[in-house]
Amino acid sequence: MVVVAVLCFLASVTAVGALAADRAAHGWARQLRAEATVQVRPRVDETGPTAAARAAETLAGVKGVAEAEAMDRKAAETLLRPWVGEAALPDLPLPYLVTVRLDPKAPASAPTLSRALAEAGLDATVDDHSLWRGEVERSAGVITALAGAAFLLIAAATAAVIAYATRAGMAAQAGVIETLSLNGASDGYVAGLFQRRFGGLAAKAGALGAGVAALLLALLRLIGGEGGLTPALPLAFSDLAILIACPLLAFGVALLAARFTALAKLGGRG
């Protein structure tokens, strides 16, 4: 029962962690899909801020763009400060950028933005973050696959533990099984006794493991505030609802493992 409870605890933490990671990855993908960045190269007869402002004005009128705003040097320095430090910022040449927020229902494509800029006589490059978005979406798929593999491994380990416990229990109760058989009990009836016994134990162990996992995850959610413990793994209290399935799954695995093991043991006895 203790081993099954530990396995169910690990399965519960893995499930919620996978949900949180998948939510984060898809959230990042949605943010990348809703934004674009434009690097503007000023002409000889105009300044960088002027060119960026003209590009923002041009893009704001494009269908599928919700908002376009030229990024000033102060905002760019704020983004770079954690990476390059304070000392290097004053002398660092920074590109002139325009941040574009796209209409989530019908976002403008990168070719559309580039064409509008070219028609306005602007030398600019549009980055719609498609490369990064693809990487993030692939990461979400890998996370989902790893979570599924983890569940399969934990379920297999749980079944192996229950099968071993069933064989040990039958060996310890060999006299009782023999007495039941002599009194006309069928193999199916004897297997059902072990099935109910280990199914009940597994359900209790699953409830214990899921309960401890729920307390731990709820504590992490409370400590982390609105976004959870970390933005990389945004936990939600609704995630804890899936833990209800843990004792049910443990019960089902125990029923199958105990029944097949008991029937195989009884069948090989004669």
Side-chain angles (χ1 to χ4, degrees):
M1 183 173 177
V2 173
V3 176
V4 174
V6 171
L7 291 171
C8 289
F9 169 81
L10 294 175
S12 299
V13 172
T14 301
V16 176
L19 277 179
D22 187 71
R23 180 185 299 113
H26 284 93
W28 295 336
R30 283 193 300 271
Q31 291 178 3
L32 291 173
R33 196 179 295 112
E35 294 182 353
T37 304
V38 178
Q39 181 180 354
V40 183
R41 290 172 287 275
R43 298 181 305 191
V44 177
D45 58 344
E46 69 179 346
T47 63
T50 301
R54 195 156 62 92
E57 183 179 357
T58 300
L59 294 173
V62 176
K63 184 179 180 181
V65 174
E67 183 182 2
E69 181 181 2
M71 183 182 296
D72 56 21
R73 184 176 180 89
K74 184 178 180 180
E77 288 180 350
T78 301
L79 293 175
L80 291 174
R81 186 171 288 108
W83 305 100
V84 302
E86 185 70 39
L89 284 176
D91 301 325
L92 189 66
L94 300 179
Y96 300 100
L97 301 177
V98 176
T99 57
V100 182
R101 295 177 181 83
L102 304 175
D103 184 353
K105 296 181 180 179
S109 64
T112 300
L113 300 178
S114 298
R115 185 165 52 251
L117 291 168
E119 291 174 354
L122 288 159
D123 182 11
T125 302
V126 178
D127 180 11
D128 62 353
H129 311 309
S130 57
L131 176 62
W132 300 107
R133 187 170 68 245
E135 292 293 335
V136 170
E137 290 174 347
R138 280 191 290 273
S139 298
V142 171
I143 288 169
T144 303
L146 290 176
F151 269 116
L152 291 177
L153 288 174
I154 292 174
T158 304
V161 168
I162 293 170
Y164 177 81
T166 303
R167 292 179 67 87
M170 293 187 70
Q173 301 293 329
V176 176
I177 294 173
E178 187 68 26
T179 300
L180 290 173
S181 298
L182 291 174
N183 283 274
S186 64
D187 288 351
Y189 176 79
V190 176
L193 294 178
F194 284 91
Q195 187 177 354
R196 288 190 293 273
R197 169 65 175 168
F198 287 102
L201 287 175
K204 293 177 182 177
L208 177 61
V212 174
L215 291 175
L216 175 63
L217 294 169
L219 180 62
L220 293 177
R221 177 65 177 80
L222 291 172
I223 292 174
E226 183 178 355
L229 184 63
T230 169
L233 289 174
L235 299 173
F237 283 114
S238 58
D239 295 340
L240 303 182
I242 67 168
L243 301 185
I244 298 174
C246 188
L248 299 178
L249 291 174
F251 178 73
V253 170
L255 285 183
L256 293 175
R259 183 164 189 84
F260 289 142
T261 304
L263 288 176
K265 183 74 173 177
L266 290 168
R269 185 176 51 126

